[in-house]
Amino acid sequence: MAAKTISVGRRRFLVEWMIANAVALGAGWAVTGAIMRMRQQPYYGTVTSAARAVRLQTPSLGIALAVLGMFVGTAQWLCLHRLHVSVWWVPATCLSWALFGVAMGVLSGRFGSSVSGIGPAVPPTVGLLVGLPAGLIAGLLPGAFQAVVLRRHHVRWWPTVSLAGLVLGLLAASCWSGGAWSTSCTGSGRRTSRLPGRYS
């Protein structure tokens, strides 16, 4: 009976965890898209300097993803507080997502013009080859910060699991929120038409 009770408790926790993350990422993604549009829309298709693109993208993504981190961290902690996880989970998540946003802002400003429409002309394949592995490395930040909060619980594998969940969650949330990311990058949900001709 005790084993059955533990099994039911674990299943309930996993369901609550998945729902909390899905709701937080979906709602946070919509707010993030609005912030990105507000801060970046005047520069779509007009900024071609890498240095200026990085200066624009870094604070925009840092602020936007800090807000997203607040949504995610709060939702996760509401599931975890019954397991005596410190409330520091929320600021740790918010700060780590902000730093993740700063890292992605640098990458986006230098290599992400094919998606954002801001920055120098870079073929999409180059942006993908450089940005994807660097983005995955930067994506370890949220899990690493949360692992510090979990240190007394001895969950050493948390950064890797968190990164896997981050990738899947962001894909699901971006679909659920109606493509807020692509809309935030182009202002209309469509890529700018100026880019392909600049590669020829």
Side-chain angles (χ1 to χ4, degrees):
M1 179 65 71
K4 183 178 180 180
T5 302
I6 292 172
S7 178
V8 171
R10 286 177 177 173
R11 287 199 298 269
R12 180 180 175 183
F13 173 79
L14 287 175
V15 170
E16 291 177 349
W17 179 262
M18 288 187 290
I19 291 174
N21 279 278
V23 171
L25 283 167
W29 207 240
V31 174
T32 297
I35 293 173
M36 296 284 287
R37 283 195 301 275
M38 179 182 66
R39 292 183 61 90
Q40 294 187 347
Q41 200 164 26
Y43 307 104
Y44 297 141
T46 63
V47 175
T48 59
S49 163
R52 190 178 179 202
V54 169
R55 288 197 300 270
L56 289 170
Q57 294 279 56
T58 300
S60 294
L61 277 166
I63 293 170
L65 292 192
V67 173
L68 184 58
M70 181 184 68
F71 275 86
V72 172
T74 301
Q76 290 177 342
W77 184 76
L78 290 175
C79 294
L80 292 170
H81 78 281
R82 288 174 296 179
L83 303 177
H84 308 292
V85 173
S86 171
V87 72
W88 282 102
W89 181 275
V90 179
T93 303
C94 186
L95 176 59
S96 63
W97 276 77
L99 294 175
F100 175 51
V102 169
M104 295 307 295
V106 174
L107 291 171
S108 177
R110 184 61 188 87
F111 301 105
S113 62
S114 61
V115 175
S116 68
I118 300 175
V122 177
T125 51
V126 175
L128 183 64
L129 290 173
V130 175
L132 184 59
L136 289 174
I137 293 172
L140 290 169
L141 281 170
F145 274 62
Q146 291 170 342
V148 173
V149 180
L150 290 174
R151 63 188 182 279
R152 70 185 183 91
H153 296 271
H154 306 291
V155 187
R156 300 179 184 275
W157 39 261
W158 183 255
T160 304
V161 172
S162 174
L163 176 60
L166 170 64
V167 173
L168 294 175
L170 289 180
L171 288 174
S174 63
C175 295
W176 180 30
S177 60
W181 180 266
S182 61
T183 301
S184 71
C185 290
T186 63
S188 62
R190 297 187 300 270
R191 291 185 181 179
T192 56
S193 60
R194 68 180 179 89
L195 290 171
R198 292 171 62 196
Y199 304 138
S200 56

